[in-house]
Amino acid sequence: MAQWTSAVGAAQLARLLNSQQDRPAGPGTRRPPAYRALADGIRLLVLEGRVPVAARLPAERELALSLSVSRTTVAAAYEALRAEGFLESRRGAGSWTAVPAGNPLPARGLEPLPPEALGSMIDLGCAALPAPEPWLTRAVQGALEELPPYAHTHGDYPAGLPALRTMIAERYTARGIPTMPEQIMVTTGAMGAIDAICHLFGGRGERIAVESPSYANILQLMREAGARLVPVAMAEGLTGWDVDRWRQVLRDAAPRIAYVVADFHNPTGALADEDQRRGLVEAARSAGTVLVADETMTELWLDEDVSMPRQVCAFDPAGSTVVTVGSASKAFWAGMRIGWVRAAPDVIRSLVAARAYADLGTPVLEQLAVNWLFSTGGWEQAVELRRGQARENRDALVTAMRKELPTWEFEVPQGGLTLWVRAGGLSGSRLAEVGERVGVRVPSGPRFGVDGAFEGYVRLPFTVGGAVADEAAARLAAAARVVESGGSGGGEAPRTFVA
């Protein structure tokens, strides 16, 4: 049986390789042999995640024609990649991309830094902001006033409190997507929602198509559930989703689930337009794939001129193809572990039935707090405050990065909470390792990829601003100097920073 899960056409690979020619070579760089340049180009595409791991490459003759080189050049490049562990082949099955065993692989998700370590460490690992007060306190006080009637019950509501389910359904309906409470299940955060969906539709060994890169914690959740991840490369910059590529992967790999973050994608910040959303839904429907749309960032637009497209589920209002996940954790506060699923009623019933063997239900007090926010207008005011915090932090971080690390590349997203940065040819894993020694914590690119992709990237969230953003960029620059020199950074102690 073939080991590849997707395929890259000759014309597509040629376009990707040609795009690398725009990158300037370093001073004194000597031109390598043609086969070596081709091998290096393919290897870089794999490490950056622009060509997924386990993607079948075109036959030697096809690629040679597309690149206008000899077949011998392509054969020599493929042989070099095989020798380095970036290509595997088998007679009759073709050749597919791989990552050698020694390359750094993502092992865990992104754990929050303990609060006691914040005095000496600037934490850019977790994309979460402090609570938007006074709205958290007001919501909890409002929830306490509503609590007494529920205290006389057993307290288990596997589908969620009826009042909150109704409120969430009404919010979808107000956006032009008719929704009944029977189409809503309240969960313990978005992670709880996606975990339930994966167990219902996925199962151990099932294929799940994911954006490449994608949210690290979700990728790890899927790995631990036993899923086989099928990466679909995101386009360069903020253009995001190549619908033709998605259509091909869904057709060829036949994954049971596809997971996308169409609203200010984590980590790139890309925003899918309406044509891309419509195309993703149509491709999933044609392939018989359940499209899971993660909308945890959907309300976090930061620029006034952003024109938000319709939600993904607007192109499948009955919920037969699209299962939507929402959450209060990003837009409001990470400590408010309330999420929800919108899907067809039969899907919701199946999720609720399966929940009896998981967590039984979501805490009542937190559900009442979110319901208070939705019903009083407090949610809109709190989210507006959150947007202001994130906008100021984004602008401060961008300014500091351009000053301290001008050769690092990124595009500024119009929303969300993250900046996806190509680290000037340095190893993201080494930067993360050295960064902790000089007092700044950043997640490396491979955590957001599948099987070692994105080694040359780091993700920076909009969680610090002002002088702290300046200091974070300065510490990153110090880490970069250590990595460039080949040192360990062990002699540089982090400074205590007081904002």
Side-chain angles (χ1 to χ4, degrees):
M1 181 177 177
Q3 300 299 306
W4 50 273
T5 57
S6 62
V8 180
Q12 178 188 355
L13 183 56
R15 285 194 302 271
L16 291 170
L17 289 164
N18 289 333
S19 72
Q20 295 175 333
Q21 297 175 2
D22 298 332
R23 300 185 187 179
T29 301
R30 301 177 67 179
R31 184 181 297 275
Y35 85 90
R36 184 69 261 171
L38 176 55
D40 289 345
I42 294 174
R43 176 177 54 82
L44 182 60
L45 289 173
V46 172
L47 288 175
E48 289 189 342
R50 298 176 68 195
V51 169
V53 175
R56 187 183 185 186
L57 294 187
E60 295 170 2
R61 188 185 303 278
E62 295 175 38
L63 186 57
L65 288 172
S66 291
L67 294 174
S68 299
V69 299
S70 70
R71 183 178 177 181
T72 302
T73 297
V74 177
Y78 278 16
E79 183 57 38
L81 290 168
R82 275 189 287 269
E84 296 163 5
F86 286 93
L87 196 69
E88 296 180 11
S89 304
R90 189 164 65 233
R91 186 179 298 277
S95 299
W96 55 92
T97 56
V99 172
N103 261 53
L105 294 176
R108 297 175 298 172
L110 308 182
E111 307 83 3
L113 191 68
E116 61 270 18
L118 293 175
S120 59
M121 183 75 70
I122 298 176
D123 184 13
L124 297 181
C126 188
L129 289 162
E133 287 288 30
W135 297 107
L136 174 61
T137 299
R138 291 181 182 177
V140 173
Q141 290 171 342
L144 287 172
E145 293 176 3
E146 299 292 332
L147 182 61
Y150 295 93
H152 295 292
T153 73
H154 51 62
D156 287 334
Y157 295 87
L161 294 184
L164 182 55
R165 295 176 72 196
T166 298
M167 184 61 67
I168 294 170
E170 289 175 355
R171 289 172 64 83
Y172 279 105
T173 301
R175 296 172 187 168
I177 308 164
T179 303
M180 304 178 295
E182 292 79 8
Q183 290 180 262
I184 302 296
M185 181 177 84
V186 180
T187 62
T188 307
M191 293 287 288
I194 294 170
D195 182 57
I197 293 165
C198 288
H199 280 90
L200 177 63
F201 291 108
R204 186 162 297 275
E206 289 281 1
R207 291 174 175 174
I208 300 179
V210 295
E211 297 145 330
S212 183
S214 186
Y215 179 36
N217 285 336
I218 293 297
L219 295 181
Q220 188 61 21
L221 181 155
M222 292 174 176
R223 290 187 189 99
E224 292 182 359
R228 298 173 59 192
L229 301 183
V230 181
V232 187
M234 296 284 283
E236 281 286 277
L238 298 177
T239 54
W241 296 261
D242 183 333
V243 175
D244 288 340
R245 185 180 297 174
W246 272 93
R247 188 175 291 113
Q248 178 187 357
V249 169
L250 297 185
R251 182 184 64 243
D252 293 348
R256 187 70 182 92
I257 301 172
Y259 169 77
V260 297
V261 186
D263 298 296
F264 308 117
H265 175 259
N266 186 354
T268 69
L271 176 66
D273 61 31
E274 289 214 356
D275 287 342
Q276 289 171 323
R277 293 165 191 249
R278 182 184 294 106
L280 287 169
V281 174
E282 291 174 351
R285 184 180 292 120
S286 296
T289 297
V290 175
L291 182 64
V292 179
D294 184 335
E295 294 186 345
T296 53
M297 298 282 191
T298 191
E299 296 190 65
L300 289 178
W301 66 86
L302 305 183
D303 295 336
E304 296 298 329
D305 60 347
V306 176
S307 178
M308 290 298 295
R310 286 179 290 170
Q311 292 167 268
V312 175
C313 58
F315 302 96
D316 179 50
S320 58
T321 296
V322 177
V323 175
T324 303
V325 172
S327 172
S329 298
K330 293 297 185 184
F332 185 75
W333 184 47
M336 186 67 77
R337 305 306 304 165
I338 297 294
W340 54 86
V341 178
R342 181 197 182 276
D346 62 316
V347 172
I348 295 298
R349 286 193 295 270
S350 297
L351 288 169
V352 170
R355 192 172 195 178
Y357 308 101
D359 63 355
L360 292 178
T362 300
V364 170
L365 188 63
E366 293 184 25
Q367 292 188 71
L368 288 172
V370 171
N371 192 59
W372 183 92
L373 288 166
F374 284 158
S375 61
T376 62
W379 176 267
E380 285 71 23
Q381 296 182 66
V383 171
E384 184 60 35
L385 179 60
R386 167 67 78 238
R387 291 191 197 108
Q389 292 172 321
R391 184 186 307 114
E392 290 178 7
N393 289 352
R394 178 198 64 179
D395 296 346
L397 183 63
V398 165
T399 299
M401 289 295 295
R402 285 175 172 164
K403 175 186 175 184
E404 297 287 347
L405 292 156
T407 62
W408 288 23
E409 301 172 56
F410 55 84
E411 290 193 39
V412 182
Q414 292 185 294
L417 291 172
T418 56
L419 197 66
W420 185 236
V421 182
R422 180 184 281 125
L426 301 179
S427 161
S429 298
R430 289 282 292 126
L431 286 165
E433 177 187 357
V434 175
E436 295 224 16
R437 298 193 179 104
V438 300
V440 60
R441 184 171 180 262
V442 296
S444 62
R447 290 195 171 192
F448 302 88
V450 176
D451 295 333
F454 305 107
E455 179 54 38
Y457 289 78
V458 293
R459 189 198 73 171
L460 306 180
F462 309 145
T463 51
V464 297
V468 185
D470 294 338
E471 180 67 14
R475 294 185 186 185
L476 265 179
R481 289 191 292 272
V482 173
V483 173
E484 285 175 333
S485 69
S488 67
E492 300 191 36
R495 295 171 285 171
T496 300
F497 185 83
V498 180

